[in-house]
Amino acid sequence: MLRVDRLSVEVPGKLLLNEVSLVVPPGQGVGLVGPSGCGKSTMLRTIAGLIDARGGTVQLGGVDRAAVGWPEFRRKAPYLSQVPSLVEGSVNQNLERPFTYRSASGGYEREKALRLLRAVGMDETCFSADVRSLSVGEQQRVCLVRALLAEPRFLLLDEPTSALDEENTGRVEALLLEEADRSGLGFLLVTHDREQAVRVCGSVLDLGDFKASSEVTG
Amino acid sequence: MRSEVIMLSPFDLVVSACLVLAAGFVSLALGLGLEKRLAIASARTVIQLLLIGFILRWVFAVDSPLVVIVILSVMLVVASRAAVQRPSRTFGGAAWRAFASLLLCGLATTFTVTAAIIHIEPWYQPQYLIPLLGMVLGNSLTGISLCLDHILNDLVCKRDQVEMELALGATRWEAARDIVRDSVSKGMIPIINTMMVVGVVSLPGMMTGQILSGTDPVEAVKYQIVVMFMIAAATSLGCIGVAILVFRHLFNDRHQLRAGLIRTR
């Protein structure tokens, strides 16, 4: 269970998110929608601990994320930014990368990587491809595969299909649902597409409903 | 072989000024517009060097450890200020981190040389300590400056990549080590380039000075080898020191990159 309790986030001069709470159960998706600028991406980055919250807690399996250990927490609940970010080199080097971290558990499995790549419409020829030669949509899918390879318990997904066509969007959605069924993966999905949120998530939270005060008061 | 030192008269200096005048005429003739800057630079060269000449003469005569310590401190402060002024980006506290790195690398290498190799007595003998530290600081500050410029640029330009690594479970060190490594290596490039061609393309100033003042060239070379090694050690220590201090400041114990602290000049 990924539990976010009364999370508040401040950006210079104002409170962007005010005491937002949500729960992502294992094996389920929670959609996060809302108008542009309401703080959806900031919410994910804050849950991942890449920026500090003004208040509130985030727990993984009932344990506060700081107690889990930041690298360990992020390995178990990785955040995928909307703009795909890959290191220079081949797709294979990028897929192996998280297994070089001290927080990694288990080793890199090429067969598993291939299964996941095929599931999102790519094949073994891309292993040796330079990531700079890939389209943004392909890079987005490589990022998703890279995150899934490390067997996370939750995924924090920021518009993971924003650069994909309908067919590949369907593949990514199917893979997420399959992983949720197979391994109990839970995910928090930020999307502009409310229909997508309804399609793949058990519940949908509209961040626009959480009215943040416009000025910081204390 | 040890020839007499040929003393230079004020007239000799005036003759040498003709060389700069010639450069000024070339600038005028070709319309380069460098005459004014050349004149200012020449005047500064004369004034600054004469000033330091008289100061050093006084320091050598006074022979006081306190005066030497004051001189060394001023050199360190000026060098650390110069080191942080060159990079295009900076952050609050960059100057004292550069100072700490220069202090560490400068004193560690200079005192190793003066105490273990040259065996100066007393330990503060300014005739050795001041020029040696000057050479170490002059070279290390270039390295530290380059290292600082590179690490700050990379942390801004590659912020997405660093945060991606953190978001996937990398520790702060795992996310930053490539950038830290590259930065130290960039800072070391000038001294390594110099060491590669020293004696072949260029004769270092100190060695040239010793030869001009009558020292046997082989003796001068021995000194120069010590100085090159000292500078190489100091530059690497200084670059590593400043890179680690910047890393510790810009990544907190929550394994976050605090890129917001970096500002462009």
Side-chain angles (χ1 to χ4, degrees):
Chain A
M1 185 96 72
L2 181 70
R3 181 184 292 276
V4 177
D5 193 28
R6 290 185 293 175
L7 196 73
S8 298
V9 182
E10 188 184 311
V11 292
K14 73 168 188 175
L15 202 56
L16 185 61
L17 297 169
N18 190 18
E19 301 200 339
V20 181
S21 298
L22 60 88
V23 169
V24 186
Q28 281 192 40
V30 171
L32 207 54
V33 296
S36 291
C38 72
K40 300 188 295 294
S41 298
T42 306
M43 172 99 182
L44 289 193
R45 287 170 56 78
T46 310
I47 294 172
L50 294 172
I51 46 178
D52 285 329
R54 185 169 183 250
T57 57
V58 177
Q59 292 183 330
L60 181 70
V63 183
D64 191 82
R65 58 190 171 159
V68 174
W70 292 100
E72 188 64 20
F73 169 76
R74 292 181 188 134
R75 184 188 70 76
K76 289 177 175 168
Y79 156 73
L80 268 76
S81 68
Q82 183 182 357
V83 180
S85 183
L86 295 158
V87 293
E88 276 179 31
S90 68
V91 168
N92 199 52
Q93 284 171 318
N94 271 275
L95 296 179
E96 284 177 331
R97 188 84 171 180
F99 294 94
T100 64
Y101 305 149
R102 214 167 50 194
S103 67
S105 76
Y108 173 59
E109 294 172 46
R110 196 180 159 95
E111 279 308 306
K112 189 173 161 192
L114 184 57
R115 177 181 71 77
L116 291 168
L117 283 170
R118 282 185 175 142
V120 292
M122 297 173 81
D123 58 34
E124 62 264 41
T125 57
C126 79
F127 272 120
S128 57
D130 188 317
V131 290
R132 286 171 300 188
S133 69
L134 303 180
S135 69
V136 178
E138 286 171 323
Q139 291 181 4
Q140 243 179 354
R141 283 176 281 163
V142 170
C143 286
L144 178 65
V145 169
R146 182 177 58 187
L148 284 171
L149 269 175
E151 294 280 353
R153 288 167 60 187
F154 295 91
L155 279 183
L156 307 172
L157 300 163
D158 193 354
E159 309 248 15
T161 58
S162 60
L164 302 186
D165 57 24
E166 203 173 318
E167 189 182 2
N168 283 314
T169 298
R171 285 179 172 138
V172 166
E173 290 176 359
L175 178 61
L176 287 174
L177 291 173
E178 187 191 317
E179 290 295 314
D181 268 351
R182 187 187 66 80
S183 65
L185 174 78
F187 55 91
L188 188 55
L189 173 69
V190 162
T191 179
H192 272 110
D193 182 354
R194 197 175 283 267
E195 283 176 19
Q196 181 184 47
V198 171
R199 213 161 43 231
V200 293
C201 300
S203 57
V204 178
L205 180 74
D206 190 332
L207 216 49
D209 293 343
F210 283 82
K211 294 295 177 197
S213 63
S214 57
E215 293 297 323
V216 179
T217 50
Chain B
M1 184 194 80
R2 187 175 176 85
S3 58
E4 281 293 305
V5 177
I6 302 168
M7 303 298 281
L8 296 180
S9 67
F11 177 72
D12 296 327
L13 296 181
V14 171
V15 173
S16 73
C18 291
L19 297 170
V20 180
L21 278 178
F25 282 126
V26 170
S27 169
L28 264 178
L30 298 179
L32 302 179
L34 292 171
E35 315 83 60
K36 195 177 166 192
R37 277 190 288 166
L38 199 59
I40 293 172
S42 303
R44 282 189 63 152
T45 301
V46 173
I47 295 166
Q48 287 167 194
L49 288 179
L50 280 178
L51 205 61
I52 196 65
F54 286 117
I55 290 174
L56 286 179
R57 182 186 275 178
W58 175 74
V59 172
F60 292 177
V62 170
D63 197 26
S64 149
L66 192 66
V67 171
V68 174
I69 288 170
V70 169
I71 298 264
L72 299 187
S73 305
V74 170
M75 288 165 76
L76 275 166
V77 170
V78 173
S80 51
R81 278 181 61 88
V84 294
Q85 273 168 357
R86 289 184 202 176
S88 55
R89 299 177 201 274
T90 189
F91 60 92
W96 80 253
R97 286 174 175 84
F99 178 84
S101 307
L102 282 165
L103 182 76
L104 166 83
C105 73
L107 297 190
T109 51
T110 307
F111 280 110
T112 300
V113 168
T114 55
I117 300 172
I118 312 179
H119 304 290
I120 62 168
E121 269 306 328
W123 64 268
Y124 59 85
Q125 205 176 335
Q127 186 190 345
Y128 289 93
L129 211 49
I130 292 173
L132 285 175
L133 186 70
M135 279 187 285
V136 165
L137 292 183
N139 286 277
S140 309
L141 85 85
T142 306
I144 286 177
S145 216
L146 282 170
C147 178
L148 208 50
D149 189 46
H150 196 265
I151 197 168
L152 296 179
N153 258 335
D154 264 14
L155 287 176
V156 170
C157 299
K158 295 184 179 171
R159 178 182 178 170
D160 287 349
Q161 195 177 312
V162 171
E163 291 200 326
M164 172 273 289
E165 302 231 43
L166 293 170
L168 290 173
T171 62
R172 54 185 163 171
W173 174 246
E174 287 166 334
R177 73 181 152 199
D178 286 352
I179 290 176
V180 170
R181 197 182 291 149
D182 282 356
S183 307
V184 171
S185 144
K186 285 282 187 305
M188 290 291 292
I189 285 175
I191 182 62
I192 288 175
N193 283 347
T194 305
M195 289 171 84
M196 288 295 203
V197 298
V198 68
V200 181
V201 176
S202 65
L203 288 185
M206 189 205 74
M207 194 174 114
T208 312
Q210 279 189 305
I211 294 172
L212 285 177
S213 64
T215 307
D216 172 29
V218 175
E219 287 305 312
V221 161
K222 285 186 198 164
Y223 259 92
Q224 192 59 49
I225 289 172
V226 170
V227 166
M228 294 308 284
F229 288 172
M230 185 174 78
I231 290 172
T235 306
S236 62
L237 266 180
C239 289
I240 291 168
V242 83
I244 298 285
L245 288 175
V246 169
F247 161 72
R248 299 283 306 175
H249 181 61
L250 295 179
F251 288 83
N252 61 20
D253 55 8
R254 294 183 294 290
H255 298 263
Q256 293 170 337
L257 168 59
R258 305 195 295 169
L261 297 179
I262 303 172
R263 57 176 197 273
T264 309
R265 283 185 195 282

